[in-house]
Amino acid sequence: MKKPTSKLSSLQPEQLAAWATEAIKRSKSGQIPAYVPLLARADRQGFAVQIRAIEGQILSWGSAATTFPLMSAIKPFVFLYLLCELGETAVFDCVGCEPSSMPFNSLTQLEIDKGKPRNPMINSGAIALASLIPGKNAIDRCQNLLTWLNQRAKSQLFVDELMLDSVNANPNQKNWDLAASMVESGYLHNSEIALETYNRVCCLAGTVEDLAKLGMLLVSGGDAAENCRTVKALMATCGLYEASGRFALRVGIPAKSGVSGVLLSVIPGEGAIACYSPPLNKEGNSVGGLFLLEQIAKTLRLSVFD
Ligand code: GLN
């Protein structure tokens, strides 16, 4: 019997090239974040995408060799790692699973929730989870996550030390305030090691190929299928911060963005789409990445709600 083929594998290179070219044009309306000096120097026109279909086809366009820090796109993988290593109870004792209608670094949201981070996809949640990663210090913890991910995904992520220096050069007061509030409420014990680990894992870097390979971990699930389902559910409801609900209606695909301009989308039963385009909209999501994904999802009818 012939295996059913994915819709994703029917995408034509010419069609992808046309959408990507339009995405670069549209990205001109976005802003490059200024709070990390090295991120601020990103090429506004830089663009790369890789699509991996479940049967193995790979379609790429743009600067395949460009590496970038994953920033918040690492959050689903910190979450996955801890679900697999520590189990659901330990993880959900530390973070909630509800969407937030406030920005990703909102202290107000945390205070409304009495110090318990609302979900793992916003900064408070990821800082709290960073504190649970096993290891004696931040370097060790990040290395444990890195080794785990690279082995499973066959990716070549690395720590972008220059980016980390740049992040550390301008301590992020909002993240410090979130950590201090969580210490006060008892959800965090040591804010220094949590923030150091968080900043380091946000500086894990790679190409769109590496990011797409990480995405495939969540598609196939393997021996972690149940945990992957949990991660995808929270990507769908919380992955694009306060824009998540609107995105679910328009596109309907679990996705996670990062402030470096990355957008990773995971389509159950189909494959993964990793995109890099630095200019961001007001919610901190990549303008070009969102445009491209919407075109692909609408044309191929990829919404998980279809
Ligand atoms: N490290 C970044 C920060 O804390 C990650 C945020 C993001 O990518 N949205 O600001």
Side-chain angles (χ1 to χ4, degrees), residues 35 71-72 75 104 123 172 175 198 202 241 258-259:
Y35 71 99
M71 292 292 165
S72 287
K75 289 170 180 168
F104 61 81
N123 286 15
N172 185 330
N175 286 346
Y198 168 76
C202 282
Y241 317 121
V259 77

Side-chain angles (χ1 to χ4, degrees), residues 153-262:
K154 303 196 173 37
S155 53
Q156 290 180 11
L157 298 177
F158 61 94
V159 180
D160 183 340
E161 297 283 354
L162 288 178
M163 189 60 67
L164 186 59
D165 288 346
S166 188
V167 166
N168 288 334
N170 266 19
N172 185 330
Q173 192 56 46
K174 288 195 166 157
N175 286 346
W176 276 99
D177 292 344
L178 292 172
S181 169
M182 289 188 285
V183 168
E184 209 171 294
S185 60
Y187 284 100
L188 194 62
H189 299 297
N190 181 337
S191 56
E192 240 157 84
I193 190 163
L195 283 168
E196 220 188 300
T197 307
Y198 168 76
N199 284 334
R200 211 174 166 84
V201 300
C202 282
C203 288
L204 287 176
T207 61
V208 279
E209 175 175 349
D210 294 311
L211 188 58
K213 283 178 170 173
L214 287 184
M216 290 309 282
L217 275 185
L218 295 171
V219 177
S220 49
D223 57 353
E226 220 167 285
N227 290 331
C228 287
R229 191 178 60 214
T230 303
V231 174
K232 282 180 282 196
L234 290 203
M235 286 170 80
T237 51
C238 313
L240 300 185
Y241 317 121
E242 66 272 41
S244 302
R246 191 173 0 115
F247 185 79
L249 288 180
R250 290 175 68 114
V251 181
I253 289 176
K256 185 72 201 84
S257 60
V259 77
S260 50
V262 301

Side-chain angles (χ1 to χ4, degrees), residues 15-25 47 49 61 291-292:
Q15 179 66 87
L16 180 63
W19 283 330
T21 308
E22 179 63 21
I24 295 173
K25 275 195 208 140
F47 196 97
V49 56
W61 192 89
F291 172 79
L292 180 70

Side-chain angles (χ1 to χ4, degrees), residues 56 81 121:
Y81 173 63
M121 304 296 160

Side-chain angles (χ1 to χ4, degrees), residues 85-146:
E85 294 294 293
L86 307 180
E88 219 172 78
T89 308
V91 171
F92 286 116
D93 277 351
C94 181
V95 291
C97 58
E98 300 299 336
S100 161
S101 56
M102 293 184 196
F104 61 81
N105 51 13
S106 172
L107 182 60
T108 311
Q109 182 71 77
L110 187 63
E111 286 171 348
I112 291 171
D113 297 332
K114 301 192 173 53
K116 181 167 184 180
R118 194 163 263 230
N119 69 64
M121 304 296 160
I122 51 177
N123 286 15
S124 54
I127 293 167
L129 289 185
S131 79
L132 296 185
I133 301 177
K136 63 178 188 300
N137 54 33
I139 296 180
D140 238 43
R141 290 168 182 221
C142 182
Q143 188 58 45
N144 288 338
L145 173 68
L146 177 65

